[in-house]
Amino acid sequence: MGSPIGPIAADIVMQRVLNIASENSPLRIGFIKKYVDNLLVSIHENDVDLVVDHFNSVHPKIQFSMEMEVNGVLPYLDMEIHRGENNSLSTTWYAKPSSSLRMLNYRSGHSLHTIINVGRGFIKRVRALTTKSGENTNDNIARILRKNDFPNRVIQRLLREEGQQNSTTTDQLYFNTISYVRGISEKLGKKITEKTGKKVAFQPVTKVRKFFSRIKDPIPKDNKCDVVYEIPCGGCEKSYIGTTGQQLKKRLQQHKNDTKLPIRNPNVSSLCTHVTETGHRFKFEETKILDTHRNYGKRLLLEMIHIKTNMDKVVNKRSDVDGLSAIYAGLLQGSHS
């Protein structure tokens, strides 16, 4: 749906459609269950031909299609709903014929802990969605796990975990994230947990996007937002480092306006102060982007790190790095020396 607010808006609209369709409805409806834009409806058999027309009459741009049960079975989301004797309902896990049934491959570049948890989650999901008595899910689970290169010994161990409950806690967990390197990260993560008491989450070094070309055109430098930038001075070897959340070209235009002669406020920025004191002009067309981050606090930290690392080469004031932690300052000082 594109935007994070899309599912919320869809749910609100669908609920409004249901409210309108239910008011003074001639349909004999047993129940309606809704998940986003998918409806599960129990309706009198004589009203089947009317239900789609009735729902489609609510709004011309919101149109429904209908799928009916066949031989007492109806697929709905990840389930097949079975209607038995006395109209009792039961469910089994279901995947569409077009599904590749792929999940995180056992031989992928992730930690074994992550891969095993993916298998556990899949088994839990299949069993939770299967309520039909006498249904044996193990063969189906094993077939799909083997398709994703899970060894038989691992599959059998995971299947034997049926009924075991993981311990739950209401305490909030905090994780440190490190890149995963097989054989090293496990030991390093254990040491971090022992020393800090915090859990460690691994992220793969190789991402899927590495193997695919970008389908979007690159954003021109001047149109980028949330950046840390560096502007070189045209009269000396120093430069100015700043950050902005707006488009870079808009921020540079503000700098140009601030340094037009006569300069009205030389203290508006370190850049203006340098121009006022030396008469130098900055090379705005040679501006470089040093870092990007959407979070303002983290972007401000990146700006201070770049200033601290190049303190002798920038026109920024020393007060510009007052907010930098002494730990960062010590590490940067050591690496710089």
Side-chain angles (χ1 to χ4, degrees):
M1 297 185 184
S3 170
I5 201 174
I8 299 174
D11 194 52
I12 294 173
V13 171
M14 281 301 301
Q15 189 59 52
R16 177 62 175 162
V17 170
L18 281 181
N19 293 341
I20 296 174
S22 300
E23 292 177 357
N24 302 319
S25 173
L27 303 175
R28 289 163 287 183
I29 298 176
F31 64 81
I32 297 180
K33 300 295 182 181
K34 173 176 67 71
Y35 183 81
V36 190
D37 59 347
N38 295 279
L39 300 179
L40 176 64
V41 183
S42 171
I43 193 168
H44 194 281
E45 59 182 356
N46 293 337
D47 295 341
V48 169
D49 295 334
L50 304 175
V51 62
V52 175
D53 293 337
H54 180 71
F55 275 85
N56 286 344
S57 66
V58 175
H59 195 283
K61 291 189 177 180
I62 302 179
Q63 299 295 292
F64 293 85
S65 59
M66 180 175 66
E67 183 174 359
M68 295 178 58
E69 65 176 88
V70 177
N71 297 326
V73 179
L74 176 67
Y76 180 69
L77 300 177
D78 291 341
M79 299 183 300
E80 274 189 341
I81 302 175
H82 302 259
R83 184 161 61 91
E85 297 180 359
N86 302 321
N87 289 328
S88 62
L89 300 180
S90 60
T91 60
T92 56
W93 176 80
Y94 170 75
K96 293 181 179 180
S98 59
S99 173
S100 67
L101 300 177
R102 289 181 180 177
M103 62 181 72
L104 192 62
N105 194 279
Y106 190 85
R107 304 183 187 280
S108 63
H110 295 74
S111 67
L112 182 60
H113 177 75
T114 300
I115 296 171
I116 292 298
N117 277 339
V118 168
R120 284 196 182 107
F122 172 68
I123 294 174
K124 183 178 179 180
R125 181 176 182 82
V126 172
R127 287 174 173 166
L129 295 178
T130 301
T131 63
K132 186 178 181 182
S133 60
E135 191 75 13
N136 184 8
T137 60
N138 286 355
D139 291 342
N140 203 22
I141 291 172
R143 175 180 61 84
I144 296 172
L145 290 179
R146 279 194 293 268
K147 183 180 178 68
N148 291 275
D149 291 336
F150 278 70
N152 284 327
R153 56 179 177 79
V154 175
I155 295 174
Q156 295 306 315
R157 177 165 62 85
L158 291 176
L159 292 175
R160 284 195 299 270
E161 292 179 354
E162 181 179 8
Q164 296 181 1
Q165 299 293 330
N166 295 327
S167 59
T168 58
T169 177
T170 57
D171 297 334
Q172 186 174 0
L173 297 178
Y174 295 92
F175 286 87
N176 295 305
T177 304
I178 61 176
S179 297
Y180 178 71
V181 179
R182 192 182 298 274
I184 298 177
S185 297
E186 292 89 349
K187 298 178 181 178
L188 182 59
K190 185 178 180 180
K191 290 293 182 182
I192 293 176
T193 301
E194 290 175 354
K195 296 294 183 181
T196 66
K198 295 182 179 180
K199 298 290 185 178
V200 175
F202 302 114
Q203 61 180 8
V205 177
T206 303
K207 305 292 181 67
V208 173
R209 64 185 178 187
K210 176 182 177 182
F211 302 100
F212 297 91
S213 59
R214 294 182 179 271
I215 59 175
K216 293 184 177 179
D217 294 332
I219 301 175
K221 180 185 70 175
D222 291 343
N223 290 340
K224 289 187 176 181
C225 306
D226 304 319
V227 299
V228 178
Y229 57 90
E230 180 182 22
I231 310 173
C233 178
C236 63
E237 296 181 354
K238 292 194 173 185
S239 61
Y240 171 80
I241 294 178
T243 183
T244 182
Q246 58 186 329
Q247 286 185 330
L248 179 60
K249 62 182 179 182
K250 292 183 179 180
R251 183 56 180 148
L252 293 180
Q253 186 58 51
Q254 292 170 2
H255 283 310
K256 293 177 183 178
N257 295 336
D258 291 338
T259 55
K260 285 182 180 179
L261 299 177
I263 298 177
R264 298 180 180 180
N265 186 3
N267 296 319
V268 69
S269 67
S270 302
L271 183 145
C272 288
T273 302
H274 183 74
V275 173
T276 303
E277 294 177 351
T278 64
H280 296 170
R281 308 302 295 177
F282 279 85
K283 299 179 180 179
F284 294 105
E285 68 280 0
E286 296 181 15
T287 300
K288 298 178 182 178
I289 294 179
L290 303 178
D291 257 312
T292 59
H293 207 292
R294 292 185 179 182
N295 183 281
Y296 173 72
K298 293 181 180 180
R299 194 170 69 247
L300 195 62
L301 174 62
L302 291 171
E303 179 196 28
M304 289 189 290
I305 289 175
H306 283 290
I307 294 174
K308 184 66 177 179
T309 306
N310 300 281
M311 202 70 209
D312 297 334
K313 301 177 182 178
V314 295
V315 301
N316 298 75
K317 301 173 183 177
R318 292 191 176 273
S319 59
D320 290 343
V321 294
D322 285 347
L324 188 64
S325 168
I327 297 176
Y328 280 109
L331 291 172
L332 293 172
Q333 186 66 32
S335 62
H336 185 62
S337 60

